[in-house]
Amino acid sequence: MKLNSKIRYGIRTMVEIATHHSVNGVFQKDIAERQGISLKYLDHIIHSLKTAMLIRNAKGKKSGYVLCCDPRNISLYNIYLAFEPVLCVVDCLSEGYQCDRSAHCSAQGIYGELNQLIVNFMKSITLQNLIDK
């Protein structure tokens, strides 16, 4: 499993918004500058985070961004799901995936257990944990 750049930048963006919060929110240009992310790429990150209802505009258009809830209630897994529909360490765990070896695969159960361990770990880490580090 590898966290792609959108997920990594999404995490960095969420930390920025949580740590630099204000009444007017955190402006996209400030996030881009502090994190070294292009504004164009950050547009995609912001869109995904808004669609996942993790952030919102502070005061409508032309305002900065704020978290939709307390950082203690946002897990690393929530952020991950803003960019990927599901976490699967191997394709055969994906819903609807047809594997002709699944009936004879002794490793599939182990893959499923590993997958669940990773999901549980990501759920146990909150945005607040990241801020506190």
Side-chain angles (χ1 to χ4, degrees):
M1 184 190 99
K2 185 175 179 180
L3 299 179
N4 64 39
S5 61
K6 282 188 178 182
I7 296 166
R8 293 191 319 271
Y9 288 173
I11 293 167
R12 289 166 48 186
T13 298
M14 292 293 287
V15 169
E16 278 290 321
I17 293 170
T19 57
H20 294 96
H21 59 88
S22 72
V23 175
N24 296 322
V26 181
F27 292 97
Q28 189 168 332
K29 65 178 179 56
D30 295 330
I31 297 168
E33 186 177 299
R34 283 193 290 262
Q35 290 297 318
I37 305 170
S38 77
L39 280 170
K40 186 176 180 178
Y41 195 60
L42 188 55
D43 276 338
H44 299 285
I45 304 300
I46 294 289
H47 175 74
S48 294
L49 294 171
K50 285 175 74 174
T51 300
M53 296 186 294
L54 295 174
I55 63 172
R56 62 177 171 76
N57 289 87
K59 295 182 178 179
K61 291 193 180 262
K62 303 290 184 189
S63 68
Y65 297 99
V66 296
L67 299 177
C68 286
C69 62
D70 189 290
R72 291 174 290 204
N73 296 327
I74 300 172
S75 72
L76 196 57
Y77 192 60
N78 295 133
I79 300 169
Y80 178 91
L81 291 177
F83 302 97
E84 294 293 332
V86 68
L87 188 149
C88 284
V89 294
V90 291
D91 289 337
C92 66
L93 297 176
S94 300
E95 188 175 321
Y97 186 82
Q98 298 295 324
C99 177
D100 56 353
R101 301 203 34 84
S102 64
H104 313 323
C105 181
S106 59
Q108 189 175 27
I110 297 299
Y111 298 151
E113 289 177 31
L114 174 61
N115 202 84
Q116 194 58 52
L117 284 170
I118 294 169
V119 168
N120 290 342
F121 176 75
M122 291 180 77
K123 286 180 177 181
S124 75
I125 304 296
T126 67
L127 184 55
Q128 187 65 51
N129 296 138
L130 297 176
I131 294 164
D132 292 343
K133 292 190 184 252

